Amino acid sequence: MNNAKPITVHGKPVAGGAFPVICTPLVGRTRQAVLDELSAVLPKQPDVIEWRVDFFEGIGDAALVIETARAIKAAAPETPLLFTRRSTNEGGERIAIAEPAVVELYTRLCAARCVDLIDYELSNETPHRQRLRACSREAGIGLVLSYHNFQSTPDAPTLIAKFTAAEQAEADIAKVAVMPEGPEDVLTLLGATLHASRTLSIPLISMSMGPYGSLSRIIGWAYGSALTFAVGKGSSAPGQIPIDELRAALAISRRAVTGG
Amino acid sequence: MNNAKPITVHGKPVAGGAFPVICTPLVGRTRQAVLDELSAVLPKQPDVIEWRVDFFEGIGDAALVIETARAIKAAAPETPLLFTRRSTNEGGERIAIAEPAVVELYTRLCAARCVDLIDYELSNETPHRQRLRACSREAGIGLVLSYHNFQSTPDAPTLIAKFTAAEQAEADIAKVAVMPEGPEDVLTLLGATLHASRTLSIPLISMSMGPYGSLSRIIGWAYGSALTFAVGKGSSAPGQIPIDELRAALAISRRAVTGG
């Protein structure tokens, strides 16, 4: 058995404690594109929405970012909003601002309380991470500390160490996403997630990416991953499955495992 | 990548080379029950039908068994028929006849050419296995040599040794089915199957059983398992998924992995 911890937002389990919850990314380049994407995605009822702000051309304009986040929340008030700048080192888009400005942007978003969760890479400088830990906690916003590897899948001890480092850095949620070089690497990711779910006390999010990795998006919940990303309109990482298909496959796998 | 070999019958790939193929068991206790079950199952279009003759009260009457097998083939002439007596040691039902009579029954079935594949456990005595190898080959019937463990999941080298032993004993197909004691054992089964698919030249069938093991029935194909069992009307092992659900989940996982 795993020891699964559901994702909570403002002290309440997301989607009534569903395990896993389904998150769809917004990857529009403009405010209008983001809102159009949101309109297309909402009828598919994602449990969480992630705004990948590294895709957003206006990332350098903090007021526009805050206003756009508020517009997303206004359109989907009941759906937790995860705010993510994915760095280029970890698979994100090139952006026009440097890291201190990114941290400042996150800080202002937190102060404005217009998002519910933020994601920041574990690999960033410790003072930056600590500042975001402090400002997110102050605002009651959950902090996801994440590790991505788009080249390969490190061995299980290395993956477990990433989950553990996130907890030690006081993350509310630890995320690990890695690229498999063959189907066996998907097993490594699942095994490491299971191990971490038994030893750590925070919720985990994990996935193997790419074609074979997509299998982990369907069965990762059984190994302790509390959230799985699905394509609403546009995908944000390789191997994401359309939300309708992922929901159907999750329901079948859950029924098979739990009998319910 | 795995090195998947599809199941063939009479020299032709089953279901046009579908990977995996879906097999539903028949577990009726009487001729009429078996045929009723078949009628219920056929509209669901299984790729292979397994007749689990250890459930059949008439197992001691070889003529009745042959006649019933012929009736199954008459009702489903295009669907390969796998004939299996599962021993009690490996999870089967108690039967009224001893092993020599079982071997005699298989031999007569082969001579009558009324089935397409037979399954016999690797653990049986070598002379019995050799006799069934000879008579099935003589009749152009494929031989599945199988290993089942309903208590636990041996380690990967032990599982790989079972697949290898089946190939060395001249099986046409090697089957391994084991019970997980936790989600990690499902990973062990999948990893061992992948390894065997890369090193052996015959098609493989593998599954982890029980609730968590049901995940392997959905994704095992990506690790080299060429056939997955689904519930048509009655299940023959713990963790089997209804055929409609399994087919839907397979289609989603295959689309995710292959993009097609």
Side-chain angles (χ1 to χ4, degrees):
Chain A
M1 303 302 119
N2 65 54
N3 180 19
K5 273 80 60 178
I7 307 276
T8 61
V9 163
H10 309 308
K12 289 200 304 198
V14 173
F19 203 94
V21 295
I22 301 178
C23 179
T24 58
L26 301 177
V27 296
R29 301 213 168 263
T30 65
R31 179 183 186 283
Q32 194 56 51
V34 167
L35 295 177
D36 288 350
E37 200 179 359
L38 182 64
S39 298
V41 163
L42 280 181
K44 299 175 182 175
Q45 301 184 289
D47 300 310
V48 176
I49 289 166
E50 179 186 51
W51 182 21
R52 276 285 301 273
V53 76
D54 51 302
F55 283 89
F56 191 61
E57 289 169 0
I59 189 171
D61 180 346
L64 176 61
V65 171
I66 289 172
E67 197 283 316
T68 303
R70 287 198 166 124
I72 295 170
K73 283 305 291 181
E78 304 300 327
T79 311
L81 178 57
L82 165 61
F83 179 82
T84 301
R85 181 292 317 257
R86 180 66 54 241
S87 75
T88 52
N89 289 339
E90 302 209 5
E93 300 291 293
R94 282 193 179 284
I95 56 174
I97 58 175
E99 201 60 22
V102 169
V103 175
E104 181 63 25
L105 178 66
Y106 269 107
T107 304
R108 289 187 58 184
L109 260 283
C110 286
R113 291 179 162 74
C114 55
V115 301
D116 304 295
L117 298 160
I118 60 171
D119 176 317
Y120 195 60
E121 296 91 11
L122 260 174
S123 62
N124 290 301
E125 290 177 23
T126 303
H128 288 166
R129 212 176 60 212
Q130 288 174 334
R131 185 161 165 221
L132 295 192
R133 173 63 289 184
C135 76
S136 57
R137 183 172 282 147
E138 169 73 19
I141 289 170
L143 174 64
V144 182
L145 289 178
S146 60
Y147 166 75
H148 303 75
N149 186 326
F150 279 70
Q151 276 69 56
S152 64
T153 300
D155 62 14
T158 304
L159 298 178
I160 292 165
K162 298 296 182 186
F163 286 116
T164 305
E167 177 160 291
Q168 286 170 346
E170 302 181 46
D172 297 302
I173 300 169
K175 178 189 172 192
V176 167
V178 290
M179 187 64 80
E181 294 178 88
E184 60 272 52
D185 285 343
V186 181
L187 307 182
T188 301
L189 180 277
L190 292 170
T193 305
L194 181 66
H195 183 95
S197 81
R198 288 172 172 162
T199 55
L200 302 181
S201 61
I202 57 174
L204 310 179
I205 299 172
S206 79
M207 67 278 304
S208 184
M209 298 183 286
Y212 277 105
S214 63
L215 298 171
S216 72
R217 301 182 186 277
I218 298 174
I219 72 163
W221 66 272
Y223 292 84
S225 176
L227 181 148
T228 181
F229 287 87
V231 178
K233 189 148 180 285
S235 78
S236 61
Q240 287 177 0
I241 300 170
I243 183 169
D244 298 338
E245 296 203 358
L246 183 60
R247 182 176 281 125
L250 284 172
I252 294 166
S253 70
R254 198 157 32 200
R255 202 149 49 228
V257 170
T258 66
Chain B
M1 304 302 118
N2 65 54
N3 180 18
K5 273 80 62 179
I7 307 276
T8 61
V9 162
H10 308 308
K12 290 200 305 196
V14 173
F19 202 94
V21 294
I22 301 178
C23 179
T24 57
L26 301 177
V27 296
R29 301 211 167 265
T30 64
R31 180 182 185 283
Q32 193 57 50
V34 167
L35 295 177
D36 288 349
E37 198 178 1
L38 182 64
S39 298
V41 162
L42 280 181
K44 300 176 181 173
Q45 301 184 291
D47 300 309
V48 176
I49 290 167
E50 180 187 51
W51 182 21
R52 277 284 302 274
V53 74
D54 50 303
F55 282 90
F56 191 61
E57 290 170 359
I59 189 170
D61 180 347
L64 176 62
V65 171
I66 289 172
E67 197 283 317
T68 302
R70 288 199 165 124
I72 295 171
K73 283 304 290 181
E78 304 299 327
T79 311
L81 178 57
L82 165 62
F83 178 82
T84 302
R85 181 292 317 256
R86 181 67 53 240
S87 76
T88 52
N89 288 339
E90 302 209 6
E93 299 291 292
R94 281 192 180 285
I95 56 175
I97 57 175
E99 201 60 23
V102 169
V103 175
E104 180 65 24
L105 178 67
Y106 269 106
T107 304
R108 290 186 59 183
L109 261 283
C110 287
R113 290 178 161 75
C114 55
V115 300
D116 303 295
L117 298 160
I118 61 172
D119 176 317
Y120 196 60
E121 296 91 11
L122 260 174
S123 62
N124 289 301
E125 289 177 25
T126 304
H128 289 165
R129 213 175 60 211
Q130 288 174 334
R131 185 163 166 218
L132 294 193
R133 173 63 288 185
C135 76
S136 57
R137 182 171 283 147
E138 168 74 17
I141 290 170
L143 174 64
V144 182
L145 290 178
S146 60
Y147 166 75
H148 303 75
N149 186 326
F150 279 70
Q151 276 70 55
S152 64
T153 299
D155 62 15
T158 304
L159 297 178
I160 292 165
K162 297 296 182 185
F163 286 117
T164 305
E167 177 160 290
Q168 286 170 346
E170 301 181 46
D172 297 301
I173 301 168
K175 178 187 173 192
V176 167
V178 290
M179 187 64 80
E181 293 177 88
E184 60 272 50
D185 286 343
V186 182
L187 308 181
T188 301
L189 180 277
L190 292 170
T193 305
L194 181 66
H195 183 96
S197 81
R198 287 172 171 161
T199 53
L200 301 182
S201 60
I202 57 174
L204 309 179
I205 299 171
S206 79
M207 67 277 306
S208 184
M209 298 183 285
Y212 277 106
S214 64
L215 298 170
S216 73
R217 301 182 186 277
I218 298 173
I219 72 164
W221 65 272
Y223 293 83
S225 177
L227 181 149
T228 180
F229 287 87
V231 177
K233 188 149 181 281
S235 78
S236 61
Q240 289 177 359
I241 300 170
I243 184 169
D244 297 337
E245 297 204 358
L246 183 60
R247 183 176 281 127
L250 285 172
I252 295 167
S253 70
R254 198 156 34 198
R255 203 148 49 227
V257 170
T258 66

